[in-house]
């Protein structure tokens, strides 16, 4: 091979003196890439992490997915109200563990209302012995008992042929309407004519203990027949007015007897003075006959103080007014 041909082949293989039109572009791209890297290095912050050029591991991706899902679920749970949140949690539990919704229902067999507690601890008559160990149930029942009116009773006479009667105290609405006092005291009767008052020895069993109580009630003739079907009870009759007048006179006498000793001494002096005045009046009877016809003479004024009519107190007037009303 000739030497000229050898130089040509070496020039072609070694890219000798031949240039390409794209050589400038390649060098410019390399310089731009280096420049961008330098700028990125300058702009990176000290706490900034390096960009991952590789694909993340599957476990890392799964953890990130779980974290994002938990964040979304927490956001939705917070946005719900308490009842919707409870329903969602119950449904999720049933879907995951299985079961029925009936298993989550609370049993109401042992639930008690205030009325049930009052019925369990109620007493017809509360005594001091019953108030020793007071629980909150007994206090509730005692509070209800204090609101009842214990003057007249309401009677249940449905089993009068078996000699079984039920009695209870009146509440506020019955007192206002007059039930048991101005109307018949039977539970199923509203008659208001011919009412009579009766006293009954009420025997009952309460909390396993037998007790007695004397109660008063007003009944119409028909209900009176039912009450006295087996044997006659005691009828409460109003007291006579004479007895009341005698009592009032006795009260006045007792008030007069409470006078102090100096007042008694003054009364004795007045009596002596009256006697002297009467002696002087006897001598002047003839001259004073004409004046007696027109009005009281001077001797009448010396006989003693004017007898005042006894004024009754308000309590005595009320007693007389309500004497027949509450019987």
């Amino acid at each position: 091979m000739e030497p000229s041909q050898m130089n040509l082949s070496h020039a072609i293989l070694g890219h000798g003196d031949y240039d390409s039109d794209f050589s400038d572009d390649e060098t410019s791209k390399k310089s731009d890439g280096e420049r961008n890297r330098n700028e990125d290095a300058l702009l990176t912050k000290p706490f900034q992490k390096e960009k991952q050029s590789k694909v993340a591991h599957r476990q890392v991706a799964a953890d990130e997915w779980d974290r994002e899902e938990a964040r979304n679920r927490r956001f939705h749970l917070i946005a719900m109200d308490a009842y919707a949140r409870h329903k969602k949690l119950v449904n999720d539990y049933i879907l995951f563990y299985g079961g029925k919704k009936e298993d989550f229902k609370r049993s109401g067999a042992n639930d008690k209302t205030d009325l049930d507690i009052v019925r369990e601890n109620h007493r017809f008559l509360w005594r001091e012995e019953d108030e020793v160990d007071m629980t909150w149930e007994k206090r509730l029942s005692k509070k209800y008992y204090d609101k009842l009116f214990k003057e007249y009773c309401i009677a249940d006479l449905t089993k009068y042929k078996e000699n079984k009667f039920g009695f209870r105290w009146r509440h506020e609405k019955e007192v206002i309407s007059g039930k048991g006092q101005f109307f018949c005291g039977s539970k199923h009767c509203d008659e208001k004519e011919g009412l009579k008052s009766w006293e009954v020895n009420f025997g009952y069993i309460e909390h396993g203990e037998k007790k007695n109580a004397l109660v008063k009630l007003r009944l119409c003739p028909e209900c009176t027949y039912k009450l006295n079907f087996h044997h006659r009870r005691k009828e409460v009759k109003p007291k006579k007015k004479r007895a009341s007048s005698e009592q009032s006179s006795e009260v006045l006498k007792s008030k007069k007897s409470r006078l102090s000793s100096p007042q008694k001494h003054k009364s004795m002096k007045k009596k002596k003075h009256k006697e002297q005045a009467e002696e002087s009046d006897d001598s002047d009877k003839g001259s004073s006959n004409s004046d007696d016809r027109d009005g009281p003479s001077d001797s009448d004024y010396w006989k003693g103080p004017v007898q005042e009519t006894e004024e009754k107190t308000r309590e005595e007037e009320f007693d007389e007014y309500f004497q027949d009303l509450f019987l």
Side-chain angles (χ1 to χ4, degrees):
M1 182 182 287
E2 295 180 0
S4 60
Q5 295 177 350
M6 293 287 291
N7 293 330
L8 181 59
S9 62
H10 286 296
I12 293 169
L13 294 171
H15 305 284
D17 297 331
Y18 296 96
D19 295 332
S20 174
D21 296 335
F22 301 101
S23 62
D24 295 335
D25 297 335
E26 291 176 359
T27 55
S28 63
K29 287 179 180 180
K30 290 180 181 179
S31 62
D32 292 339
E34 291 176 358
R35 190 182 302 162
N36 291 333
R37 289 175 186 174
N38 294 331
E39 290 178 357
D40 292 341
L42 292 172
L43 294 173
T44 54
K45 297 176 181 179
F47 56 83
Q48 188 175 359
K49 296 181 180 179
E50 295 182 358
K51 294 181 180 180
Q52 295 181 358
S53 59
K54 296 181 180 180
V55 178
H57 193 268
R58 183 180 297 175
Q59 186 64 32
V60 176
D63 294 341
E64 188 67 25
W65 174 263
D66 293 340
R67 194 178 296 109
E68 187 68 22
E69 187 69 19
R71 191 181 296 112
N72 294 334
R73 191 177 300 170
R74 192 181 304 110
F75 174 77
H76 289 298
L77 286 174
I78 292 171
M80 293 179 181
D81 59 344
Y83 181 68
R85 191 183 305 120
H86 171 73
K87 287 179 66 177
K88 184 181 183 307
L89 294 174
V90 169
N91 292 330
D92 293 344
Y93 181 88
I94 292 173
L95 289 173
F96 188 77
Y97 293 103
K100 298 178 181 179
K101 286 187 177 181
E102 287 76 9
D103 299 337
F104 292 90
K105 288 185 179 180
R106 190 178 64 85
S107 176
N110 298 324
D111 292 348
K112 293 181 181 179
T113 60
D114 293 345
L115 182 59
D116 297 333
I117 293 171
V118 169
R119 285 175 176 171
E120 288 180 0
N121 298 274
H122 179 68
R123 285 170 171 77
F124 189 75
L125 290 175
W126 280 82
R127 302 172 183 174
E128 295 181 357
E129 302 173 357
D130 302 330
E131 301 180 10
V132 176
D133 297 329
M134 294 290 286
T135 59
W136 71 270
E137 294 92 347
K138 289 184 179 180
R139 286 197 297 270
L140 181 63
S141 181
K142 181 66 167 59
K143 188 175 181 180
Y144 171 77
Y145 173 81
D146 293 336
K147 293 181 179 180
L148 299 175
F149 294 84
K150 307 165 192 68
E151 187 174 2
Y152 292 103
C153 280
I154 302 296
D156 186 2
L157 306 175
T158 53
K159 297 183 179 181
Y160 70 95
K161 291 184 179 180
E162 301 176 11
N163 200 17
K164 293 181 180 179
F165 304 99
F167 296 97
R168 64 170 177 84
W169 302 118
R170 298 185 301 165
H171 51 76
E172 185 178 2
K173 290 183 179 179
E174 291 175 339
V175 174
I176 294 171
S177 64
K179 178 66 175 175
Q181 183 177 357
F182 304 109
F183 294 90
C184 181
S186 179
K187 184 178 179 182
H188 306 286
C189 180
D190 294 328
E191 185 66 31
K192 60 180 180 180
E193 298 294 336
L195 300 181
K196 291 184 179 180
S197 300
W198 299 92
E199 278 187 359
V200 180
N201 185 13
F202 178 43
Y204 59 97
I205 298 175
E206 188 176 71
H207 300 287
E209 184 179 356
K210 189 175 181 180
K211 298 180 180 179
N212 292 323
L214 189 65
V215 297
K216 189 187 296 183
L217 67 156
R218 288 175 62 81
L219 298 175
C220 64
E222 184 178 355
C223 296
T224 298
Y225 170 76
K226 294 179 181 180
L227 180 68
N228 301 319
F229 185 77
H230 289 277
H231 58 275
R232 186 176 179 81
R233 267 73 178 183
K234 182 180 178 182
E235 182 179 358
V236 181
K237 296 182 180 180
K239 296 180 180 179
K240 296 181 180 179
K241 293 183 179 179
R242 293 179 181 176
S244 62
S245 61
E246 290 176 359
Q247 290 179 358
S248 61
S249 62
E250 289 177 359
V251 171
L252 292 173
K253 288 180 181 178
S254 62
K255 287 182 179 179
K256 290 179 180 178
S257 63
R258 292 175 186 174
L259 294 172
S260 59
S261 58
Q263 291 178 347
K264 291 180 180 179
H265 185 66
K266 290 180 181 179
S267 63
M268 293 295 292
K269 285 183 177 180
K270 287 181 180 179
K271 288 181 179 179
K272 291 180 180 179
H273 188 70
K274 289 177 185 177
E275 291 175 355
Q276 293 175 0
E278 287 176 357
E279 292 176 357
S280 61
D281 291 337
D282 293 336
S283 61
D284 299 334
K285 280 183 180 180
S287 62
S288 62
N289 287 331
S290 61
D291 296 333
D292 291 339
R293 297 174 183 176
D294 298 335
S297 62
D298 296 337
S299 61
D300 294 336
Y301 292 106
W302 289 100
K303 287 181 180 179
V306 180
Q307 294 181 357
E308 297 180 355
T309 57
E310 297 177 355
E311 296 182 357
K312 297 180 181 179
T313 61
R314 183 177 292 182
E315 294 180 356
E316 294 175 355
E317 290 179 357
F318 275 114
D319 291 339
E320 290 182 0
Y321 178 75
F322 289 111
Q323 185 177 6
D324 298 333
L325 191 62
F326 289 105
L327 291 175

